[in-house]
């Protein structure tokens, strides 16, 4: 989608929400009247009328992308800063349509789990955060895949649901949860412990003779590391 079409879809979706909250329904006649667009214009952007209201949720991610494109040093943010920035910004956006979200979030988003467009867009955003971060450890990078990003996106949806139902003063329980969760994910993703453990195991097996003391299994591990070294040397450019 082009930036212009995204902008138009957001405006139509917000108009539809206003109609829905004031009249309990969204008719094409009223939508045309309020937006000044033709039915053809609207159906070009939304093939199904029911998708007009539900587009509000992925539009949160689209709006966030536009916002961070204006932040010059966003790439220098740490993983926890990026994640918490998105979460808190999405809370602010949702708060503007809180009544609508309270009525629709469970049925439209949470109940669908990984099958909503909102979940898909969040997964892509989190994936971008991880793949563009130079501080992610090698071992964490190997473990990161679409299933992991999908899982993290689903956890975000549960955080939103927790926030919507949080009756603590100033939503302090939600803020504490977000801070602890994002800090944990960053610590887990940046940790070099597994990398160092891998290097230690390699040294013990290949250079300290541990592989020779473990029948069969030790030989297999030793061969694995030896083959990895040979493969690495073959890939090095020759002068």
């Amino acid at each position: 989608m082009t930036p212009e079409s995204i902008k138009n879809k957001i405006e139509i979706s917000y108009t539809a929400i206003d109609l829905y909250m004031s009249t309990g329904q969204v008719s094409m006649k009223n939508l045309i009247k309020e937006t000044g667009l033709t039915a053809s214009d609207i159906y070009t952007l939304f093939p199904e009328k029911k998708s007009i209201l539900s587009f509000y949720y992925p539009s949160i991610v689209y709006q966030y992308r536009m916002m961070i494109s204006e932040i010059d040093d966003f790439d220098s943010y740490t993983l926890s800063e990026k994640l918490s920035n998105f979460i808190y910004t999405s809370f602010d956006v949702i708060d503007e349509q809180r009544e609508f979200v309270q009525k629709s979030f469970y049925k439209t988003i949470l109940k669908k789990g990984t099958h909503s467009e909102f979940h898909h867009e969040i997964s892509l955003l989190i994936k971008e955060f991880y793949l563009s971060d130079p501080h992610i450890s090698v071992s964490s990078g190997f473990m990161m895949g679409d299933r992991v990003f999908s899982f993290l996106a689903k956890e975000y949806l549960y955080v939103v649901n927790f926030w919507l139902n949080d009756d603590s003063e100033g939503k302090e329980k939600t803020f504490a949860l977000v801070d602890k969760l994002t800090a944990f994910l960053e610590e887990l993703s940046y940790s070099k412990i597994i990398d160092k453990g891998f290097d230690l195991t390699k040294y013990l097996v290949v250079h300290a003779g541990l592989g020779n003391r473990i029948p069969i299994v030790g030989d297999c591990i030793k061969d694995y590391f030896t083959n990895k070294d040979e493969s690495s040397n073959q890939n090095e450019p020759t002068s």
Side-chain angles (χ1 to χ4, degrees), residues 69-84:
S69 68
E70 302 296 325
I71 303 176
D72 294 333
D73 63 341
F74 186 77
D75 288 340
S76 67
Y77 287 15
T78 65
L79 181 62
S80 64
E81 288 172 340
K82 288 180 179 178
L83 291 170
S84 59

Side-chain angles (χ1 to χ4, degrees), residues 106-139:
Y106 177 77
K107 181 179 179 181
T108 307
I109 302 299
L110 204 58
K111 193 175 181 180
K112 289 185 177 181
T114 61
H115 301 293
S116 71
E117 185 182 353
F118 188 34
H119 175 275
H120 176 67
E121 290 299 329
I122 297 164
S123 297
L124 291 178
L125 183 67
I126 294 174
K127 182 177 182 177
E128 289 175 18
F129 288 167
Y130 271 86
L131 296 185
S132 64
D133 194 321
H135 303 294
I136 300 295
S137 67
V138 175
S139 53

Side-chain angles (χ1 to χ4, degrees), residues 135-182:
H135 303 294
I136 300 295
S137 67
V138 175
S139 53
S140 294
F142 282 140
M143 291 186 288
M144 288 300 157
D146 289 341
R147 288 186 179 182
V148 174
F149 300 131
S150 177
F151 169 78
L152 293 177
K154 192 171 183 180
E155 291 305 301
Y156 160 79
L157 298 181
Y158 286 122
V159 169
V160 172
N161 191 58
F162 182 86
W163 172 72
L164 289 170
N165 295 284
D166 184 3
D167 58 0
S168 63
E169 185 176 354
K171 302 290 185 182
E172 59 183 21
K173 289 183 180 179
T174 300
F175 293 143
L177 173 63
V178 171
D179 289 346
K180 293 180 184 300
L181 179 61
T182 55

Side-chain angles (χ1 to χ4, degrees), residues 11-25:
E11 290 177 352
I12 294 171
S13 181
Y14 272 68
T15 300
I17 290 173
D18 290 340
L19 288 171
Y20 175 73
M21 296 308 298
S22 60
T23 67
Q25 60 181 349

